[in-house]
Amino acid sequence: MTLLEQFVDCMQRGDNVGLADLFDDYGVLHDSSLIKIGQDTMHLEGKMAVEMMFHHKFGFNGGPFPIFSPQYQSERNVWYMITYKDQVVPVSVDLSAVTPEGKIKRINIYPL
């Protein structure tokens, strides 16, 4: 399974620990898709920040985020539909930097 496929899998299963383990200790997750539901852009720096934020996100969401129809454009890009609360948002996920050890250095999530 590619790094991006693992990312989607952890999001679908609501696995905040597994998700965080995909990131470098100083890895960045930048998600501007939240503006489509009236929330601020989420910018997380560091593996611990990813684990803590998604522990809360999955908890407040009542579990994993429903992700539908992932379409892998390449090993570094996937498009999918994600449900935030009751709103479906199409997104593009770009794995823009990976460490030599195969950990996420930066991933960007944009609304389509």
Side-chain angles (χ1 to χ4, degrees):
M1 201 181 306
T2 68
L3 193 54
L4 198 52
E5 288 170 332
Q6 291 175 63
F7 176 84
V8 171
D9 180 60
C10 287
M11 290 288 287
Q12 288 178 313
R13 291 185 297 109
D15 181 0
N16 63 297
V17 174
L19 185 67
D21 283 343
L22 300 175
F23 283 80
D24 176 71
D25 288 342
Y26 303 100
V28 172
L29 185 150
H30 184 86
D31 185 351
S32 59
S33 70
L34 296 167
I35 61 172
K36 290 289 189 175
I37 61 166
Q39 293 185 8
D40 292 332
T41 295
M42 178 173 43
H43 183 86
L44 305 174
E45 294 188 28
K47 178 178 180 173
M48 185 179 289
V50 171
E51 182 176 343
M52 291 173 61
M53 176 59 81
F54 279 91
H55 170 78
H56 293 291
K57 287 276 185 193
F58 293 143
F60 291 132
N61 192 54
F65 286 102
I67 292 176
F68 303 96
S69 305
Q71 296 178 6
Y72 292 90
Q73 306 301 308
S74 69
E75 284 193 7
R76 295 215 171 204
N77 182 264
V78 62
W79 299 349
Y80 57 71
M81 308 292 271
I82 186 167
T83 305
Y84 296 118
K85 301 187 180 174
D86 290 328
Q87 192 168 350
V88 177
V89 178
V91 301
S92 175
V93 180
D94 179 42
L95 182 56
S96 60
V98 177
T99 68
E101 298 78 27
K103 299 289 186 175
I104 297 171
K105 188 171 183 178
R106 184 175 181 102
I107 197 165
N108 298 298
I109 304 170
Y110 303 108
L112 288 175

